[in-house]
């Protein structure tokens, strides 16, 4: 059996940290979902009536009337959407096939949010003036967290909203 | 400290959470193909074992009448075999036949047909590979083991593509191959704060805690963790982490340690795993 010690974070070193990750840019997400395809920007602004219709059918609020969409050469759509969860913000890309079905979803940006903690500027100051030898270095590169499941329900709701938006405004 | 430098990092929503794959590999094209293939494998597990999908294998098994021979795919059968091993090694503390309690507490949507309140994992017979027979009316929830299994499946796919350094994180169930990657554990009192870290190399770590899934009920704070002996959802005030060779083991054993409070539980020894409680 391995002998293993945890590296405990001194409380003074890590008070609050907002975990945020950028996985893919728009171009990278386009390539990941539609490799080799070219795209034409096709931004759409929903009318109030369309918004009402989408909200009614999807049972989800439409936060932005502007849809960031691209038409894919060879058929299909690439859309960038964002959702707000209880504990996080997620920007994701969704590729739709010609028939409007989901081809692939890629998370582009993920940011956890903790309400009052984000607005607390003190968390930034802990990183100033620290040396390379300071254990704080570890926390500047937090990339992997093992800590129970954050539900992706809001992404699922967003996808449902996007599918209905496609049926409503893209056909 | 060895700083890992994964050059590919992608995430997709599967298994009710966000699954993240990180890879360090020089040939970027190969790495991207491997990554897509690994996500496809995870997606496959989701489609087979989702409680919420009406067309999943799990739903087919859950709605089958007792005594019926239900044919299942190799992956589903593997997971049920693991569940059986873990059930027996934990003296029944690990038990997937707890869907009924989760439905009653609204952690799962109600399905409809009645179940036997005394049914346990032992009532799920695996007479031969690919065949499952329920001995009683019961419904299984594989949420305590499927994520870990999916992580292992994804890692096997990456290995098939010749990758030697990668990390897969499915909602906190993590497997790291090749490089020693720092993994952080949240402070159970304050989820935005990291309380401890560990370097993970060629092994898996899973963590159970209540900070995201806890809710209030008539009995107080509860989570989606069911004690099969008392048939109650329990509170999880502390964070439990389990380190094991495979993620499916780490994932399942967090439930055993959470329910028993015992970081020396015999099941840990059976599977050569180690556990910690973080308060």
């Amino acid at each position: 059996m391995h002998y293993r010690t945890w590296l405990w974070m001194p409380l003074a070193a890590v008070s609050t940290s907002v975990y945020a990750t950028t996985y893919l840019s728009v171009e990278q997400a386009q390539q990941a979902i539609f490799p080799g395809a070219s795209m034409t920007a096709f931004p759409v602004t929903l009318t109030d009536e369309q918004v009402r219709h989408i909200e009614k059918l999807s049972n989800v609020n439409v936060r932005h009337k502007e849809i960031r969409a691209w038409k894919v050469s060879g058929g299909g759509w690439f859309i960038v959407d964002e959702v707000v969860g209880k504990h996080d913000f997620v920007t994701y890309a969704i590729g739709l096939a010609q028939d409007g079905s989901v081809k692939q979803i890629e998370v582009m940006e993920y940011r956890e949010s903790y309400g009052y903690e984000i607005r607390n500027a003190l968390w930034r100051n802990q990183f100033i003036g620290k040396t390379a030898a300071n254990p704080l270095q570890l926390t500047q590169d937090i990339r992997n967290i093992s800590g129970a499941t954050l539900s992706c329900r809001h992404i699922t709701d967003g996808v449902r909203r996007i599918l209905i938006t496609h049926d409503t405004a893209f056909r | 400290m060895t700083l890992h430098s994964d050059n590919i990092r992608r995430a997709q929503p599967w298994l009710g959470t966000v699954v993240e794959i990180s890879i360090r590999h020089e040939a970027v094209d190969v790495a991207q193909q491997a990554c897509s293939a690994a996500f496809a494998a995870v997606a496959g597990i989701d489609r087979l074992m989702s409680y919420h999908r009406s067309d999943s294998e799990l739903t087919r098994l859950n709605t089958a009448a007792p005594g019926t021979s239900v044919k299942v795919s190799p992956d589903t059968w593997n997971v049920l075999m693991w569940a059986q091993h873990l059930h027996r090694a934990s003296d029944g503390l690990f038990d997937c036949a707890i869907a009924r309690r989760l439905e009653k507490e609204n952690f799962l949507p109600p399905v409809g047909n009645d179940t036997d309140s005394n049914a346990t994992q032992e009532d799920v017979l695996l007479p031969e590979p690919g065949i499952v027979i329920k001995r009683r009316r019961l419904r299984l929830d594989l949420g305590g083991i499927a994520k870990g299994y999916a992580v292992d499946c994804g890692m096997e796919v990456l290995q098939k593509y010749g990758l030697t350094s990668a990390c897969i994180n499915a909602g906190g169930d993590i497997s790291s191959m090749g490089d020693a990657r720092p993994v952080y554990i949240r402070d159970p009192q304050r989820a935005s704060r990291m309380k401890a870290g560990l370097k993970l190399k060629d092994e898996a770590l899973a963590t159970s805690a209540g900070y995201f899934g806890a809710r209030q009920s008539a009995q107080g704070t509860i989570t989606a963790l069911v004690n099969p002996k008392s048939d109650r959802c329990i509170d999880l005030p502390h964070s439990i982490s389990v380190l094991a060779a495979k993620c499916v083991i780490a994932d399942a054993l967090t439930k055993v340690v959470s329910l028993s409070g015992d970081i020396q539980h015999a099941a840990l020894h059976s599977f050569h795993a180690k556990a910690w409680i973080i308060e």
Side-chain angles (χ1 to χ4, degrees):
Chain A
M1 191 143 10
H2 307 285
Y3 169 69
R4 190 70 58 99
T5 39
W6 290 102
L7 183 67
W8 294 97
M9 301 292 146
L11 269 178
V14 188
S15 55
T16 56
S17 61
V18 178
Y19 179 64
T21 302
T22 301
Y23 294 102
L24 300 172
S25 64
V26 170
E27 291 72 29
Q28 287 171 331
Q30 287 172 339
Q31 280 308 302
I33 299 177
F34 294 101
S38 63
M39 313 218 171
T40 321
F42 200 94
V44 167
T45 304
L46 300 171
T47 64
D48 287 342
E49 196 190 324
Q50 286 174 325
V51 167
R52 273 195 296 276
H53 180 74
I54 293 163
E55 286 183 343
K56 188 170 166 210
L57 284 184
S58 69
N59 207 26
V60 177
N61 280 341
V62 172
R63 287 171 59 242
H64 305 293
K65 283 169 150 179
E66 298 74 27
I67 311 294
R68 297 172 64 190
W70 284 257
K71 210 171 189 323
V72 183
S73 66
W77 295 92
F78 175 89
I79 296 168
V80 174
D81 187 39
E82 75 184 34
V83 287
V84 179
K86 200 169 160 196
H87 303 286
D88 56 19
F89 298 102
V90 180
T91 306
Y92 68 99
I94 173 168
L96 301 181
Q98 180 97 44
D99 64 358
S101 63
V102 177
K103 183 184 191 291
Q104 192 172 325
I105 297 168
E106 294 280 343
V107 175
M108 290 170 62
E109 220 176 277
Y110 177 87
R111 188 176 311 128
E112 287 182 0
S113 64
Y114 293 94
Y116 71 93
E117 294 189 55
I118 302 180
R119 289 188 272 282
N120 181 357
L122 281 176
W123 75 269
R124 290 184 220 282
N125 295 338
Q126 67 183 299
F127 297 116
I128 298 168
K130 298 294 178 183
T131 67
N134 191 294
L136 185 58
Q137 279 292 315
L138 284 166
T139 68
Q140 291 181 328
D141 192 28
I142 296 177
R143 297 191 138 222
N144 293 300
I145 300 174
S146 179
T149 307
L150 259 173
S151 160
C152 71
R153 169 82 174 270
H154 48 336
I155 301 179
T156 310
D157 288 344
V159 170
R160 185 171 72 250
R161 172 174 44 74
I162 290 294
L163 289 175
I164 292 166
T165 302
H166 168 270
D167 284 351
T168 306
F170 283 67
R171 287 199 187 279
Chain B
M1 183 193 80
T2 316
L3 270 177
H4 63 91
S5 42
D6 295 327
N7 50 324
I8 306 276
R9 224 165 159 239
R10 285 164 55 188
Q12 294 186 1
W14 293 111
L15 307 165
T17 185
V18 173
V19 179
E20 188 187 81
I21 299 182
S22 310
I23 292 167
R24 183 174 69 77
H25 194 74
E26 251 194 68
V28 172
D29 285 347
V30 171
Q32 288 289 7
Q33 275 175 42
C35 191
S36 294
F39 275 126
V42 170
I45 302 302
D46 189 318
R47 290 190 187 101
L48 287 174
M49 300 183 207
S50 168
Y51 196 90
H52 305 279
R53 291 183 194 262
S54 54
D55 56 354
S56 71
E57 246 179 22
L58 178 64
T59 297
R60 190 157 53 79
L61 179 58
N62 279 342
T63 49
T68 321
S69 271
V70 182
K71 259 191 157 142
V72 297
S73 65
D75 281 319
T76 300
W77 204 79
N78 283 344
V79 168
L80 292 174
M81 278 294 287
W82 276 111
Q84 191 181 75
H85 287 316
L86 289 151
H87 177 77
R88 290 173 182 172
S90 66
D91 206 24
L93 264 186
F94 182 83
D95 194 326
C96 292
I98 39 75
R100 183 178 151 273
R101 174 50 52 191
L102 292 175
E103 287 167 25
K104 280 193 152 63
E105 302 290 351
N106 295 314
F107 282 110
L108 286 176
V111 167
N113 51 325
D114 290 326
T115 51
D116 288 333
S117 54
N118 295 325
T120 73
Q121 186 81 48
E122 282 303 324
D123 297 307
V124 178
L125 305 179
L126 306 171
E128 57 181 270
I131 301 290
V132 185
I133 301 176
K134 296 188 302 190
R135 217 163 44 178
R136 296 171 115 142
R137 294 173 306 169
L138 62 86
R139 280 194 287 284
L140 298 172
D141 174 57
L142 299 176
I145 188 172
K147 271 194 285 294
Y149 183 77
V151 168
D152 291 334
C153 287
M155 200 57 96
E156 275 171 45
V157 169
L158 297 179
Q159 286 164 347
K160 282 206 182 84
Y161 274 80
L163 271 51
T164 53
S165 178
C167 180
I168 303 184
N169 183 345
D173 289 356
I174 303 181
S175 183
S176 178
M177 163 176 69
D179 294 313
R181 290 177 174 78
V183 172
Y184 298 89
I185 306 293
R186 300 181 194 269
D187 182 340
Q189 307 307 320
R190 198 163 167 186
S192 63
R193 186 159 59 189
M194 301 304 141
K195 189 153 187 183
L198 186 73
K199 279 190 276 174
L200 207 64
K201 179 173 156 69
D202 299 319
E203 56 206 342
L205 186 77
T207 301
S208 272
Y211 30 74
F212 294 134
R215 61 167 83 142
Q216 296 307 311
S217 81
Q219 300 99 318
T221 309
I222 56 167
T223 66
L225 180 58
V226 177
N227 184 333
K229 309 285 190 183
S230 64
D231 189 26
R232 294 196 107 90
C233 285
I234 67 157
D235 186 17
L236 260 181
H238 305 309
S239 171
I240 276 94
S241 291
V242 174
L243 183 75
K246 294 176 86 76
C247 206
V248 63
I249 297 169
D251 190 5
L253 289 178
T254 56
K255 285 81 196 171
V256 176
V257 179
S258 300
L259 290 169
S260 64
D262 184 3
I263 57 171
Q264 296 296 338
H265 195 283
L268 293 166
H269 296 294
S270 304
F271 290 97
H272 308 291
K274 187 155 168 59
W276 293 267
I277 296 177
I278 291 164
E279 297 176 11

